Amino acid sequence: MLGASRQKFLDDAERSGAPVAVVDVPLLFETGGEKRVDAVVVVTTTPELQHQRILARDNHDQRKARCHPRAATARRRKTRRADFVVDTSDGLDPVRLRIRDILNEAVKMPRRRS
């Protein structure tokens, strides 16, 4: 379920007439949250780059970071279920363009929240 603060954010956005509201929900599919949003965007990258980012971000050692390849299967499942996929492997400029395109498409999508 979406947290109370996220739900308030979405309610406020809808009341204000915002054409799109974006929330970051890392465990969206695992919690059934995809039923409470109109579109799902999954962000992905190559396994090698993900490994490098994990090491840099979380101060993980090599041994702990090696456990993350199991996430590759979950990542593939999530990308198949997503409405949109953003690949961050090539830096921010392509990501910005992709996000712009997604936002333009998302405002035209029918509402499907339950």
Side-chain angles (χ1 to χ4, degrees):
M1 180 166 186
L2 290 177
S5 62
R6 284 189 193 115
Q7 190 59 56
K8 181 182 181 326
F9 170 76
L10 292 172
D11 292 344
D12 291 347
E14 190 167 354
R15 273 192 297 279
S16 75
V20 175
V22 178
V23 291
D24 180 8
V25 185
L27 298 174
L28 185 75
F29 291 119
E30 293 81 352
T31 61
E34 76 278 7
K35 297 174 193 122
R36 290 178 287 287
V37 297
D38 294 327
V40 174
V41 178
V42 169
V43 178
T44 190
T45 190
T46 65
E48 297 80 19
L49 192 49
Q50 182 181 23
H51 178 79
Q52 291 171 8
R53 290 174 179 171
I54 289 168
L55 287 173
R57 178 192 68 215
D58 297 335
N59 294 320
H60 281 25
D61 61 30
Q62 288 286 339
R63 187 177 57 76
K64 287 181 182 177
R66 273 189 232 120
C67 296
H68 287 279
R70 291 188 311 256
T73 301
R75 185 175 54 247
R76 282 190 297 274
R77 262 183 280 159
K78 288 179 181 182
T79 57
R80 282 195 303 266
R81 294 176 68 186
D83 298 291
F84 305 98
V85 177
V86 176
D87 186 336
T88 65
S89 301
D90 294 321
L92 288 178
D93 287 337
V95 169
R96 287 183 183 109
L97 292 172
R98 180 72 178 124
I99 294 297
R100 186 194 66 212
D101 292 344
I102 289 170
L103 291 172
N104 286 332
E105 289 182 52
V107 297
K108 300 173 192 168
M109 293 177 68
R111 184 176 175 160
R112 68 174 192 223
R113 291 173 261 168
S114 54

